[in-house]
Every structure is written in structure tokens, then in C-alpha cells.
Amino acid sequence: MKSVSKNINVKRLILYPLVTLLTVLMLGEYAFVFFKKDKLEEQKKYVDTLTKTLSEVIQKEIIVVTSATSMLETLLRQDHFATTNFNDWSREILSINENVSNLQLAPGGIVMAIFPLEGNEQAIGHDLLHDPKRSIGARIAVDSKELTFIGPVRLIQNNRLAVIARKPVFQYKNQQEIFWGFTIALIYVEELMGDLLSGLDDLGLNYQLIGSNPDSLTQPIIAASIQPISNQAMQYPVLVPNGEWLLSVEYHFESLTDDFLYHGLILLMASLLSYFAFIYERKSQLQQIELVSLNQQLESLAYFDSLTGLRNRRSASDIAQELFHLAQHSQVPLIVAFLDIDYFKHVNDVHGHQAGDVILKALSNLCAKSCRESDIIARWGGEEFIVFLPYTDLDYALVFCETLRKNISMECFMYESEKIEFTISIGLSEVAPADKSIEDVIKRADEALYLAKKNGRNRCEVSLG
């Protein structure tokens, strides 16, 4: 894991378990004072507090799990609903959400991608909206447009019990919201609950956690103690996305025979809950840190062209504006060179768009190798590139561009055993005292590029404006 320990809020990490410990101890002492006066009332207060705390802990774990569906939706939208990078996204998300068993994409409600796939192959092609055992829950998610938590259900691929988080994803097309499909996170019941409730058996507590499955006539039991609960058990709702679970817990105080045993039990329970609070608070903080880190990575991708790896127009424009101000105020020369591939449409028409992508990457690599560290090169759009040359006079810039142009014209590129040759045209302009913004300089470079095209292509032209 990345070094994130410095970002952990140590005060919260210590304070929350301590507050939990002191709260439970205080409530235990309160129950002890009134124990002999009213056993039943004290039992209710104690178990109610315990049930509420466990409910909140379970809800916190569910939030960690279901966040995987939102992360998957974010990455899906980032790639404009292309799913080719699904395995890479899932691998990254699962490294953060360790309890999630697998991730799925279900365009149109049909499961088409699962990671990891091994052992889950049978679920591929599963039509959630038309399977009688799944359709009601799936329809609820679509109709409500909300993340929905279903389970536990028995999986068709391995017959194991699991809870499923389905997030409906919608696209806007022609100003209409259209259902795209589901992002799905699945976690096996034993991995969701872990040892959270099993330790209550040793404390003499009976419990039962009932899930929610609208596709079933009976509500499924997620976890239960060895001994069944009675109708006197304290009940507390566990809010899950688009639904509700029910946690029931009861304790028989008659088993206590002396004060020492009672205080020991309270201390043990307080320590147990304090430990849970520490574990889940730390997990929550690490989850938040990883989410922030992932968002920062996604934000950085917004500044670079995904095909060539060069800066995109937005990123280059911001830097160019700073270079322009430096040139105007400090009399530092700045040259703008506008590059365009000649007859690029012909390359796409004859060899295909994949060949065109190869040419764009090749030109990007040649330009990047030719530029200095101080130069800024970017893909401006389509087959157009731009280079900002600070601290450079027009004579040097022209030599640089002519050399680049000649080198490219002599190169021969291979694509599927076919040789592809191409040339470029370049327009240059220099920052002038009368320029109001960098757009003025870029406009003249664009005009010079147009002149180079008009005069036969495969040439450089300088703006005299």
C-alpha cells in the first residue's frame, strides 16, 4: 500500500475507540446501579445501545463496500461508457476495497463483464431484468434510480450466499436520460460480516440479522446465533441503499451471579466494541485517502491526451498563457509553431483509423524527442499539434521546424506490413508587443499554417503580422 500513514487522523483514530469504550463502560455502570431494581428495563437499555452500535458498524462497512460501485461508474463515465479497461479499473478498485469479492458490469441489465472472472463464468449473460429470481430487485433499482443493496441471495455460479450492490447508470442522449445498465459489487456473506457478530455468542448474546431481498417471499437471514432469539429481543434497523436490514439482539442477565462477573463482561464488551470502532475508523480513513488519491489521478488524466500522452489543449492553454505574460512583461521571446499532418484523411481512408492512430503516436514521439525540456508540445485537436518555444527567436525556431519537417518526411512507418509515409506543414508566429493574449499569436500561427497548406504542403511558413 502507498505511504498514507502520515495522512491518517491519529486523534480521531484514538478518540473514537476511546469514546466507544467510555460510553459502553458508563452505560454498563448505569445498568449495574439499577440492575436489582428493574432487570428488564436495564436489559432493554443495554441491548439497545449495543444493537445500535453494531448497526452503525455494519452500515459503515456497507458504505465501504458500495463505494466500489460509484468508483466503477466514475471510471466508466471517464471513458465515455467504453468498457475495454474494465479489468484495469476493477483491479485498482479491489486493491482499495479488499472485502469486495468481485465487480460486474451489466449494460442493459445483462451481466457482460466480471472481475475476477475465474469461477464466475456461469454468471456471464445473466439477464437481471428478466430473471424471475432477480428482476424485482433490479427493477426497483432502475425505477428509483438509486443504488440498491440486495441479499443475501444464492449465486447461480457457485451456490454461495452473497449480498449484491447494484447501481443503476444513466446516460443523457438527445436531452433524455436513458438507462445504460448496472455497476455491481458483490461480496460473500462470510466476508462481509467476518467475525463482527460471531463473537457475541461467547458473550451469551443471541442475535439475528435479517437481510432484504424483494425477489424472495421470505426475508433471508444473513447471520444468527446458535441459540434462537425470542420475541423480547431488541431490534434496530440497519439502513442499506434503497432498503433496510433488521438486527435483533438479546441478553439474559439471569446468567450473572455476582458483581465481578458483570463488570468483567461489561469491560470485555466495551473493549470489543472499542476494537471494532478502531478497525473500522482506520479502514474508513484509509478508504478516504485512497479515494482522494484516485480522484487526483483521474484529475491529472484530464490534462493529457489519452492517445499520444502529450498535453491536451486545456493543459497547454493554461501554460501558454503564463508564457505569454512572461514574454510581454519581461521581453522574453516566445514562438508558437502550429503543426498539421498533410492528407491525414487519406491515411485514415486508405489504411484505416487504427493506422491513423499509429501516425499520430509516431509524430508525437518524434516531436517530443526533438523538443527541449523548456518547450511545451500538445495535441491541439485531431491531427493538429502545437509547440510553444520560449526563450527562442524566430531564426532558431524556423531551423527547428525545418529540421523536424525534413526528418518526418524521410521517415517510413510500418502498419500491418504496410509502409506509410507522411509529411507535415508548419505555421510559425512570434509574440508581438501589440498582442493582447496568446490567442492572437496562435491565430497568426494558424494563418501561417493555412498558407503552408495553400502553397503546396510539406513546408514551413512564418506569419509576418
Side-chain angles (χ1 to χ4, degrees):
M1 180 177 288
K2 299 176 183 177
S3 178
V4 296
S5 58
K6 294 182 180 179
N7 296 322
I8 290 180
N9 190 325
V10 179
K11 290 183 179 180
R12 284 179 52 184
L13 198 61
I14 296 176
L15 181 61
Y16 284 11
L18 182 60
V19 169
T20 302
L21 178 66
L22 294 177
T23 300
V24 177
L25 287 175
M26 291 174 63
L27 290 174
E29 283 299 314
Y30 179 81
F32 174 73
V33 172
F34 295 92
F35 175 70
K36 293 182 180 180
K37 294 181 180 181
D38 194 345
K39 292 182 180 180
L40 181 60
E41 186 64 23
E42 290 306 319
Q43 177 186 14
K44 290 181 179 179
K45 291 180 180 180
Y46 169 76
V47 176
D48 179 66
T49 301
L50 175 62
T51 306
K52 182 179 179 179
T53 303
L54 289 174
S55 173
E56 292 174 348
V57 171
I58 294 171
Q59 287 179 201
K60 201 168 189 178
E61 177 64 14
I62 289 173
I63 291 173
V64 172
V65 173
T66 55
S67 65
T69 62
S70 297
M71 294 169 65
L72 187 57
E73 180 190 12
T74 298
L75 294 169
L76 181 66
R77 293 186 183 278
Q78 181 74 26
D79 267 18
H80 306 289
F81 293 90
T83 62
T84 52
N85 294 321
F86 169 72
N87 286 348
D88 293 334
W89 302 337
S90 300
R91 191 175 291 107
E92 178 69 20
I93 293 172
L94 292 182
S95 70
I96 300 172
N97 299 269
E98 297 178 352
N99 285 343
V100 177
S101 303
N102 68 61
L103 295 173
Q104 303 177 10
L105 284 179
I110 301 174
V111 177
M112 299 302 294
I114 302 177
F115 184 91
L117 180 60
E118 184 177 356
N120 299 294
E121 295 87 351
Q122 193 173 350
I124 294 294
H126 187 194
D127 191 341
L128 302 175
L129 295 174
H130 295 90
D131 183 348
K133 296 182 179 180
R134 299 288 190 270
S135 60
I136 297 177
R139 289 290 180 187
I140 290 175
V142 175
D143 294 341
S144 65
K145 299 182 180 180
E146 293 180 356
L147 173 68
T148 302
F149 215 66
I150 303 294
V153 298
R154 196 162 294 280
L155 302 177
I156 62 174
Q157 59 265 40
N158 53 27
N159 208 36
R160 293 176 66 180
L161 283 176
V163 290
I164 302 171
R166 298 193 191 109
K167 184 172 179 60
V169 179
F170 295 85
Q171 286 181 285
Y172 284 92
K173 292 184 178 180
N174 299 323
Q175 298 183 343
Q176 290 186 346
E177 192 176 50
I178 299 175
F179 174 65
W180 176 89
F182 295 107
T183 57
I184 301 171
L186 182 148
I187 179 171
Y188 296 120
V189 169
E190 63 269 24
E191 295 178 1
L192 173 65
M193 303 310 301
D195 298 327
L196 181 60
L197 296 179
S198 60
L200 299 180
D201 280 317
D202 298 331
L203 300 176
L205 290 167
N206 299 332
Y207 62 90
Q208 179 177 270
L209 179 61
I210 298 178
S212 174
N213 183 8
D215 294 289
S216 174
L217 296 177
T218 59
Q219 294 305 314
I221 297 177
I222 298 175
S225 57
I226 298 175
Q227 296 295 327
I229 61 172
S230 69
N231 55 8
Q232 301 296 320
M234 299 298 298
Q235 297 182 338
Y236 204 87
V238 180
L239 299 179
V240 300
N242 219 5
E244 184 178 283
W245 292 355
L246 185 64
L247 176 64
S248 302
V249 179
E250 66 178 351
Y251 183 79
H252 298 288
F253 284 88
E254 290 75 8
S255 61
L256 298 177
T257 57
D258 54 54
D259 298 345
F260 177 79
L261 181 60
Y262 178 79
H263 282 92
L265 179 62
I266 293 297
L267 180 60
L268 178 61
M269 294 177 66
S271 301
L272 182 64
L273 292 175
S274 179
Y275 171 74
F276 288 151
F278 172 82
I279 293 298
Y280 284 98
E281 175 60 27
R282 184 175 185 275
K283 181 184 291 186
S284 177
Q285 290 195 35
L286 291 175
Q287 170 77 12
Q288 184 62 30
I289 291 170
E290 292 294 342
L291 285 174
V292 170
S293 175
L294 181 59
N295 286 334
Q296 290 174 344
Q297 294 177 36
L298 293 175
E299 184 177 353
S300 68
L301 291 176
Y303 289 92
F304 291 89
D305 178 59
S306 60
L307 176 65
T308 64
L310 299 178
R311 292 185 180 276
N312 59 22
R313 185 169 186 160
R314 173 186 176 184
S315 175
S317 296
D318 293 341
I319 299 175
Q321 195 63 42
E322 296 179 5
L323 293 176
F324 175 78
H325 289 310
L326 178 65
Q328 290 290 65
H329 294 92
S330 302
Q331 304 301 314
V332 174
L334 174 62
I335 303 297
V336 176
F338 223 143
L339 290 69
D340 185 86
I341 300 175
D342 297 328
Y343 302 110
F344 184 69
K345 183 178 183 302
H346 177 75
V347 174
N348 282 333
D349 292 342
V350 174
H351 302 283
H353 288 279
Q354 290 184 344
D357 290 346
V358 170
I359 295 302
L360 290 172
K361 291 178 182 179
L363 177 57
S364 301
N365 292 334
L366 288 172
C367 291
K369 291 178 181 179
S370 302
C371 289
R372 304 166 301 179
E373 290 187 5
S374 59
D375 299 334
I376 304 299
I377 179 172
R379 185 182 180 191
W380 203 247
E383 67 271 25
E384 293 182 338
F385 295 78
I386 197 166
V387 182
F388 297 95
L389 302 160
Y391 309 101
T392 306
D393 57 29
L394 194 55
D395 291 336
Y396 173 83
L398 187 57
V399 171
F400 165 79
C401 290
E402 280 291 344
T403 302
L404 177 62
R405 181 189 64 78
K406 291 177 181 178
N407 289 341
I408 290 173
S409 66
M410 292 186 295
E411 286 283 348
C412 182
F413 303 91
M414 299 297 297
Y415 175 74
E416 294 185 350
S417 302
E418 294 186 41
K419 294 182 179 180
I420 303 176
E421 297 178 347
F422 70 94
T423 60
I424 62 172
S425 298
I426 306 176
L428 295 92
S429 64
E430 183 178 17
V431 172
D435 290 329
K436 301 299 183 183
S437 68
I438 190 63
E439 284 75 16
D440 294 337
V441 191
I442 295 174
K443 181 180 179 181
R444 291 200 304 275
D446 190 30
E447 292 171 351
L449 174 60
Y450 175 78
L451 184 61
K453 294 283 189 180
K454 182 179 179 181
N455 290 338
R457 294 180 170 81
N458 190 22
R459 59 187 292 116
C460 298
E461 292 289 350
V462 179
S463 171
L464 300 178

